[in-house]
Amino acid sequence: MRDHTSWGATEAECHLSYPCDQHISQPYDSHHRAIDVAAPVPLAFRWLCQLKVSAYTYGRQGRSPRTLTPGVERLAVGQRFLAFDLVEFEENRHLTGVTYPAARRRYGQIAITYQVEPRGENASRYVVRLNSARRKGVGRPLGDLLATGDGFMMRKQLQTLKALAERDAAGAQMQEGDG
């Protein structure tokens, strides 16, 4: 991890605009996470939809489903995922949310986009931008600490979703080879 603001993301990815940029009104700091996934976009996106049922990170591993939950891919604005309410989405492209009121009181105003980028027919890339409102005064160190902690948590989350998507993609390829 280069620093607490970026893990795995390229400079170009850090300079792009994302849907979450339109959903935060205060000055903010951006944090980026990215990882390549050896799975096609629809499967990788389907695993992102699982964030509606579990965080897929430390402490939640044993309770996080290891198979796709039926119906979770049916998205609607206002649905909750993690500490966010879904405010925008595009199937097979992105989930974008803002902190719901109780989470906003605890963590501040945050907008996030989980995006899937194509990398050929059977490969993709998760790219996440998290925009957090800048904290002032004594709250600034707490904001930096939360961003650093989030970096480790989201890294685990993306690695877990990657592993599950790749497992399912490999299983589908084996079934195609048997047929």
Side-chain angles (χ1 to χ4, degrees), residues 126-145:
Y126 289 136
V127 181
V128 181
R129 173 177 282 170
L130 181 142
N131 293 332
S132 59
R134 287 196 184 117
R135 295 172 181 253
K136 297 178 183 174
V138 296
R140 181 93 180 148
L142 176 60
D144 290 343
L145 182 62

Side-chain angles (χ1 to χ4, degrees), residues 9-91:
T10 66
E11 287 295 320
E13 289 167 334
C14 292
H15 288 94
L16 293 173
S17 61
Y18 293 83
C20 62
D21 299 341
Q22 306 305 311
H23 295 283
I24 190 164
S25 58
Q26 300 174 336
Y28 58 86
D29 294 313
S30 293
H31 310 277
H32 302 88
R33 316 288 183 240
I35 193 168
D36 290 326
V37 183
V41 167
L43 181 58
F45 183 80
R46 182 64 181 78
W47 273 103
L48 277 185
C49 293
Q50 287 289 121
L51 294 175
K52 287 172 43 182
V53 297
S54 186
Y56 288 90
T57 190
Y58 300 106
R60 306 277 174 117
Q61 290 296 96
R63 296 185 304 236
S64 295
R66 293 308 198 232
T67 58
L68 293 168
T69 304
V72 108
E73 73 281 6
R74 290 190 285 277
L75 301 172
V77 169
Q79 290 175 328
R80 181 123 333 137
F81 73 102
L82 304 172
F84 305 97
D85 285 330
L86 191 63
V87 294
E88 183 179 342
F89 66 91
E90 182 180 337
E91 187 176 344

